[in-house]
C-alpha cells in the first residue's frame, strides 16, 4: 500500500463470520451463516478527516488516493497533536484461529441447541419459548502511514433460552444465556440451566409487589456491572465533554466522586465480550482506572479526544463494523472487588432488597435498572421474592452511597446485544464487579 505524503492515513480491514440459529416453540425458524469482508479508510490533513468504507478490497489503493486528493497536504502533519498520539505497533495476536467457531460444522451447532430444547418443554407453565444460538469469528488488520501494522482476532459463541411462563394473571418472561469464547464450553450445561429455570418458576409463582420506597439494595455482580456501565461508564467517554465546559469542570480529574472504597476500571485486556487488544486506531488496550479510591482519576479516549483534553490515549477508539468511524467506547467496565463477603453485606442491609439479575438498564445523570428478579433481605438472609419494576438514583449521589463490596467478583459477557451510542449498535462490551451494597435507592 502506498500511503500519501504529507498526510496521515490508516486502513482497517475486517473479515467477519457469523452464525445465527433460532427455534420458536420447538420449531426451527432460522439457520443462517454469513461472511463479510470490508475496509474503512481515513485520511487526515490536520484540519479535516476524509473517510470511506468499502467491500471492494482490491480497490483500496484507488479509494485511498481518492480521499487524499480531497485533502490539503500538510508539511507539519507529524507534529499535529492528534497524530502524535497515535501509537505505532507491529503485532499479531491470533488467539482463536486454530479453534475458530467458523470451523465447527453447522450440524454440530444445530445439535447443541436442540439438546437444550427439552428444558423448555418440561416446564408446564412455559407457554411460549424461543431458543437462539449465535457465534462470531472476526479478524482485524490495521495499518497506518506511520508504520503501524496490527492484526488480531476475536470470537465468541453463545445461546439463550427465552420463555414466557403463564402464572395466574401475571405472565413472567426472561431468558437464560450462556457465553463462551470456546464452542465446546457450551456443551453439557443442562443441569445448570434447569436449576436456573426452576428458580425463575418459583420466583414467578411467589413474588408479590414491593411497597414503593427508599431501600438499601445489595446488587449481584451482573447488576453491579450494569450500574457501572450505565451510571458511570458512559460519562467517562470523553467525547461527551468536548462541547461542554460545565461537564469538564464537573468531572475534573482529582475530584472526589464516591465512596473511598470505590474503584471503577475499563480495560480491553480481560477475556470475554469486551476483549480488544488494540483499538480501531491501532492503540494498545490499557487498564484505565476511571475512579480510584473514590477519586476521579481517568477517562476514556480516542486520539482526537486525548488531544483536545491534553491527555493520553487509552485504547478506546472503537467502531461496531468497518462501515463506521471509530469513536470513544467502553470495553470491559467493572467495579473492583473490596474486602466484604456477601453474608456481611446482607447483614448490613436488613429490610432491604437483593437483586440477582436484570432486564435492562440506562442512565447518565440519573440511572435506572429494571430487575428481572428481586428478594427482600430479612435476618441477614435472602428471603421472600418481590416484584420490582425499577430501581433508580442520581449518579453523583449514589456513588457516595455505596458502602460495601465483596472480594468475590465476576466479569459478565454476552453473545447478544451490546452497547449503543449514536448510530453504532450493538458494540460488544463486558461489565461486572463484586456484590455491592448501596444505600437509599428509590424502588418502585
Amino acid at each position: 500500500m502506498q500511503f500519501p505524503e504529507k498526510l496521515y492515513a490508516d486502513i482497517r480491514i475486517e473479515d467477519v463470520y457469523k452464525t445465527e440459529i433460532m427455534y420458536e416453540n420447538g420449531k426451527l425458524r432460522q439457520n443462517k451463516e454469513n461472511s463479510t469482508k470490508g475496509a474503512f479508510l481515513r485520511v487526515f490533513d490536520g484540519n479535516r478527516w476524509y473517510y470511506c468504507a468499502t467491500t471492494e478490497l482490491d480497490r483500496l489503493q484507488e479509494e485511498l488516493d481518492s480521499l487524499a486528493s480531497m485533502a490539503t497536504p500538510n508539511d507539519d502533519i507529524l507534529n499535529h497533536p492528534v497524530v502524535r498520539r497515535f501509537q505505532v505497533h507491529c503485532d499479531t495476536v491470533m488467539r482463536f484461529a486454530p479453534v475458530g467457531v467458523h470451523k465447527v460444522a453447522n450440524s454440530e451447532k444445530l445439535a447443541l441447541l436442540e439438546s437444550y430444547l427439552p428444558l423448555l418443554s418440561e416446564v408446564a407453565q412455559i407457554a411460549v419459548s424461543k431458543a437462539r444460538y449465535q457465534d462470531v469469528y472476526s479478524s482485524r488488520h490495521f495499518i497506518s502511514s506511520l508504520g503501524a501494522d496490527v492484526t488480531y482476532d476475536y470470537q465468541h459463541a453463545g445461546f439463550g433460552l427465552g420463555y414466557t411462563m403463564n402464572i395466574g394473571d401475571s405472565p413472567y418472561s426472561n431468558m437464560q444465556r450462556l457465553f463462551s469464547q470456546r464452542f465446546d464450553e457450551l456443551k453439557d450445561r443442562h443441569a445448570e440451566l434447569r436449576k436456573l429455570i426452576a428458580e425463575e418458576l418459583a420466583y414467578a409463582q411467589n413474588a408479590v409487589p414491593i411497597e414503593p420506597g427508599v431501600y438499601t439494595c445489595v446488587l449481584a455482580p451482573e447488576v453491579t456491572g450494569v450500574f457501572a456501565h450505565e451510571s458511570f461508564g458512559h460519562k467517562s467517554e470523553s467525547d461527551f465533554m468536548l462541547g461542554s465546559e460545565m461537564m469538564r469542570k464537573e468531572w475534573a480529574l482529582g475530584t472526589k466522586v464516591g465512596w473511598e472504597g470505590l474503584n471503577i476500571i475499563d480495560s480491553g485486556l480481560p477475556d470475554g465480550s469486551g476483549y480488544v487488544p488494540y483499538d480501531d486506531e491501532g492503540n494498545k488496550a490499557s487498564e484505565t482506572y476511571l475512579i480510584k479510591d473514590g477519586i476521579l482519576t481517568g477517562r476514556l479516549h480516542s486520539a482526537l479526544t486525548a488531544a483536545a483534553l491534553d491527555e493520553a490515549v487509552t485504547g478506546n477508539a472503537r467502531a461496531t463494523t468497518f462501515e463506521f468511524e471509530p469513536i470513544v467506547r467502553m470495553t470491559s467496565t467493572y467495579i473492583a472487588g473490596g474486602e466484604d463477603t456477601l453474608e456481611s453485606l446482607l447483614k448490613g442491609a436488613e429490610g432491604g432488597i437483593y437483586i440477582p439479575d436484570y432486564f435492562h438498564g440506562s442512565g447518565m445523570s440519573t440511572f435506572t435498572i429494571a430487575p428481572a428478579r428481586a428478594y427482600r433481605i430479612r435476618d441477614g438472609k435472602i428471603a421472600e421474592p418481590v416484584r420490582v419494576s425499577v430501581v433508580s438514583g442520581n449518579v453523583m449521589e449514589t456513588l457516595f452511597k455505596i458502602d460495601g463490596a465483596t472480594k468475590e467478583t465476576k466479569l459478565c459477557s454476552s453473545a447478544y446485544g451490546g452497547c449503543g451510542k449514536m448510530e453504532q449498535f450493538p458494540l460488544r462490551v463486558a461489565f461486572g464487579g463484586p456484590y455491592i451494597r448501596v444505600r437509599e435507592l428509590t424502588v418502585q
Side-chain angles (χ1 to χ4, degrees):
M1 184 64 61
Q2 185 65 43
F3 285 104
E5 296 182 358
K6 300 180 182 181
L7 297 169
Y8 170 81
D10 62 37
I11 302 173
R12 183 178 82 245
I13 303 168
E14 300 178 20
D15 190 347
V16 181
Y17 164 90
K18 292 183 179 180
T19 305
E20 293 180 287
I21 303 172
M22 182 177 68
Y23 280 82
E24 286 186 346
N25 298 321
K27 295 183 178 180
L28 181 63
R29 300 298 188 189
Q30 180 184 68
N31 183 10
K32 65 179 183 180
E33 298 175 301
N34 64 71
S35 296
T36 306
K37 292 183 179 181
F40 189 88
L41 300 87
R42 303 193 302 176
V43 169
F44 182 54
D45 62 10
N47 293 308
R48 183 174 297 178
W49 286 95
Y50 304 84
Y51 51 79
C52 71
T54 181
T55 57
E56 298 180 85
L57 299 186
D58 58 342
R59 298 186 65 249
L60 293 183
Q61 188 68 61
E62 295 174 51
E63 295 286 2
L64 185 62
D65 293 343
S66 176
L67 292 176
S69 70
M70 294 183 279
T72 302
N74 182 344
D75 290 329
D76 202 35
I77 190 64
L78 295 180
N79 290 317
H80 191 281
V82 172
V83 177
R84 287 206 313 269
R85 280 169 170 78
F86 289 127
Q87 299 172 358
V88 180
H89 297 282
C90 294
D91 194 12
T92 299
V93 189
M94 300 294 283
R95 294 179 52 195
F96 305 102
V99 290
V101 291
H102 56 309
K103 298 181 179 180
V104 179
N106 182 265
S107 58
E108 191 172 348
K109 298 171 185 178
L110 272 171
L112 173 79
L113 192 57
E114 288 172 350
S115 76
Y116 288 99
L117 295 180
L119 298 182
L120 298 170
S121 60
E122 65 190 29
V123 177
Q125 291 86 349
I126 294 180
V128 178
S129 67
K130 182 180 291 186
R132 296 173 57 198
Y133 169 89
Q134 180 175 297
D135 63 35
V136 173
Y137 175 82
S138 68
S139 63
R140 293 196 177 191
H141 183 198
F142 177 89
I143 56 176
S144 80
S145 58
L146 300 179
D149 191 339
V150 171
T151 301
Y152 77 91
D153 67 350
Y154 168 84
Q155 79 169 14
H156 70 240
F159 67 86
L161 303 179
Y163 43 80
T164 296
M165 297 176 174
N166 281 343
I167 309 293
D169 58 356
S170 300
Y172 177 83
S173 299
N174 203 2
M175 175 178 283
Q176 300 300 329
R177 301 173 177 87
L178 288 182
F179 168 97
S180 180
Q181 290 185 283
R182 297 287 190 275
F183 176 81
D184 286 346
E185 293 177 356
L186 297 176
K187 299 177 180 179
D188 303 321
R189 308 281 291 273
H190 301 73
E192 172 186 347
L193 290 170
R194 184 176 284 111
K195 179 175 182 291
L196 289 170
I197 293 172
E199 289 176 0
E200 297 257 286
L201 176 60
Y203 172 82
Q205 290 175 322
N206 297 296
V208 298
I210 190 71
E211 182 179 344
V214 176
Y215 293 83
T216 295
C217 294
V218 174
L219 311 182
E222 189 170 6
V223 187
T224 294
V226 170
F227 169 76
H229 178 100
E230 297 292 356
S231 71
F232 192 78
H234 279 298
K235 296 180 83 70
S236 299
E237 294 171 335
S238 55
D239 47 359
F240 285 120
M241 302 180 187
L242 297 189
S244 173
E245 184 69 27
M246 181 181 299
M247 193 167 184
R248 288 199 294 273
K249 290 180 179 178
E250 181 181 4
W251 293 91
L253 298 183
T255 303
K256 185 173 178 59
V257 294
W259 170 54
E260 59 272 15
L262 179 63
N263 296 281
I264 301 182
I265 302 164
D266 183 274
S267 175
L269 298 173
D271 284 345
S273 51
Y275 170 72
V276 186
Y278 290 90
D279 74 4
D280 291 326
E281 294 184 326
N283 295 315
K284 200 166 189 175
S286 62
E287 184 181 75
T288 304
Y289 269 79
L290 307 176
I291 296 177
K292 189 172 181 61
D293 301 329
I295 304 297
L296 185 67
T297 54
R299 41 184 158 243
L300 308 180
H301 281 299
S302 65
L304 175 66
T305 61
L309 297 178
D310 195 23
E311 295 173 12
V313 294
T314 58
N316 289 89
R318 303 184 62 197
T320 49
T321 71
F322 71 89
E323 299 170 289
F324 295 99
E325 75 276 17
I327 57 177
V328 185
R329 305 295 297 271
M330 285 174 272
T331 54
S332 297
T333 309
Y334 53 95
I335 293 178
E339 297 297 326
D340 296 292
T341 64
L342 176 57
E343 290 74 19
S344 67
L345 295 186
L346 293 172
K347 286 180 180 178
E350 183 63 28
I353 298 172
Y354 170 67
I355 303 175
D357 56 9
Y358 74 100
F359 287 129
H360 56 80
S362 63
M364 277 293 281
S365 295
T366 299
F367 74 91
T368 60
I369 297 173
R373 289 181 289 143
Y375 300 84
R376 291 302 298 269
I377 300 169
R378 299 191 189 280
D379 299 322
K381 300 193 180 296
I382 299 167
E384 73 271 19
V386 289
R387 290 200 297 270
V388 174
S389 297
V390 67
V391 176
S392 61
N394 177 278
V395 172
M396 297 300 293
E397 295 174 358
T398 302
L399 293 177
F400 283 98
K401 293 177 180 176
I402 300 171
D403 69 353
T406 62
K407 292 182 180 179
E408 177 187 354
T409 65
K410 180 182 178 182
L411 188 63
C412 305
S413 295
S414 175
Y416 302 101
C419 180
K421 182 175 177 181
M422 299 166 64
E423 74 275 21
Q424 297 199 42
F425 173 86
L427 181 76
R428 56 180 180 82
V429 296
F431 46 78
Y435 294 85
I436 63 172
R437 184 173 57 214
V438 190
R439 305 288 180 182
E440 299 178 6
L441 289 180
T442 300
V443 175
Q444 297 176 314

